[in-house]
Amino acid sequence: GQQLNQSPQSMFIQEGEDVSMNCTSSSIFNTWLWYKQDPGEGPVLLIALYKAGELTSNGRLTAQFGITRKDSFLNISASIPSDVGIYFCAGPMTTDSWGKLQFGAGTQVVVTP
Amino acid sequence: SAVISQKPSRDICQRGTSLTIQCQVDSQVTMMFWYRQQPGQSLTLIATANQGSEATYESGFVIDKFPISRPNLTFSTLTVSNLSPEDSSIYLCSAAGVQGGEQYFGPGTRLTVT
C-alpha cells in the first residue's frame, strides 16, 4: 500500500509566527485532505485538495496539492493560541479505494504567547 | 458538511466484556467508516460500514472482534468484543457523501479497558 510521511512531528512557535508542515506519499494521490484535532475531539476537516497544483485557502490556512501529486503542504499564517492542536494530512489508501483514508502521523503545534 | 454524533462519548469497561458504539449522521450519506486512534497515535481505518450488507474490514481487523451494523444511510454501530487493555483507544466514525472526497468525523468514543 501507499505510505504517507508527515513532518515535522512537532513545532513550538511564538504567537504571530507562520507555521508550515508537509506530507509526502510513496505513490500518486488524487486527493489530499488536511485535518485538525483538538484534545478530546474528532478531527475537523480544514482543507480538501483535488487537483495537482491546486492552492486553496481557508482563512489563515493555505494548502497546496504538489505538482508531482505525491506531496502537499499546509501553512498557517500569523499563528494564534487557538491554532494549538494536532494537524493531520490524509489521502486515499489506494488509487481505487474511494473514501478509505490513510493518515499521516500528525504534526503537534504548540503556540506560546 | 455532515454533523456526526457518537454515543457514548467515553466508557470504562472490564476485560472480557463488549462495548457497542453508536454513530448518527444528520443527513443521508453514501459511505460510513470506523477508525481507531490508539493513545498518542494517528488514525487507522477499521472498516467500511456498508448499508444493507456486511462491512468491509481492513487488514488486521476481523468481524468477530469488531462487528459492525449499518441498517440505514444515517446510522451505524461498532461493537468492540471480548475487550482487553490493548483495545483502549478512541474510536471514531466518519461519513463521506457522493462526492467521496470530503470526509467528516464524529467526536469519538474514548474507551478504557481495565
Side-chain angles (χ1 to χ4, degrees):
Chain A
Q2 301 173 108
Q3 294 189 353
L4 215 162
N5 297 306
Q6 183 173 352
S7 65
Q9 186 175 12
S10 61
M11 304 186 72
F12 292 81
I13 59 172
Q14 286 199 322
E15 187 173 351
E17 288 185 344
D18 296 346
V19 175
S20 184
M21 61 196 80
N22 70 86
C23 276
T24 59
S25 168
S26 58
S27 302
I28 290 173
F29 274 14
N30 55 29
T31 304
W32 281 100
L33 304 173
W34 284 94
Y35 289 88
K36 183 190 178 201
Q37 186 175 31
D38 291 329
E41 304 288 332
V44 173
L45 181 63
L46 300 173
I47 293 177
L49 302 164
Y50 299 105
K51 197 168 21 173
E54 180 181 355
L55 185 71
T56 298
S57 294
N58 178 6
R60 293 178 297 104
L61 307 176
T62 301
Q64 184 159 28
F65 195 142
I67 293 175
T68 66
R69 296 173 63 189
K70 291 185 177 183
D71 63 321
S72 177
F73 72 76
L74 175 71
N75 283 348
I76 307 172
S77 63
S79 60
I80 60 178
S82 62
D83 290 332
V84 166
I86 304 177
Y87 293 79
F88 291 101
C89 62
M93 292 183 72
T94 62
T95 53
D96 60 351
S97 63
W98 185 82
K100 294 162 62 173
L101 298 178
Q102 59 173 316
F103 282 76
T107 296
Q108 170 100 50
V109 172
V110 177
V111 180
T112 57
Chain B
S1 65
V3 177
I4 302 172
S5 59
Q6 286 184 234
K7 287 195 296 189
S9 58
R10 59 177 62 230
D11 206 342
I12 301 172
C13 299
Q14 290 196 335
R15 183 194 298 258
T17 64
S18 298
L19 176 70
T20 295
I21 303 167
Q22 298 180 3
C23 178
Q24 180 74 54
V25 187
D26 69 340
S27 58
Q28 292 187 344
V29 290
T30 307
M31 306 289 279
M32 292 181 74
F33 304 91
W34 287 97
Y35 290 80
R36 181 176 72 183
Q37 187 175 27
Q38 294 177 301
Q41 302 295 312
S42 186
L43 284 77
T44 300
L45 180 63
I46 298 172
T48 304
N50 299 309
Q51 194 263 326
S53 65
E54 202 168 274
T56 307
Y57 291 84
E58 298 303 313
S59 176
F61 298 97
V62 295
I63 187 171
D64 290 347
K65 177 67 175 178
F66 299 99
I68 288 170
S69 78
R70 190 177 173 194
N72 56 52
L73 291 175
T74 64
F75 185 79
S76 178
T77 67
L78 167 73
T79 299
V80 189
S81 304
N82 190 23
L83 291 167
S84 68
E86 293 71 36
D87 295 320
S88 297
S89 294
I90 300 171
Y91 293 87
L92 299 131
C93 73
S94 71
V98 174
Q99 299 287 337
E102 297 186 5
Q103 193 165 135
Y104 300 93
F105 284 82
T109 296
R110 182 179 295 272
L111 169 61
T112 302
V113 182
T114 59

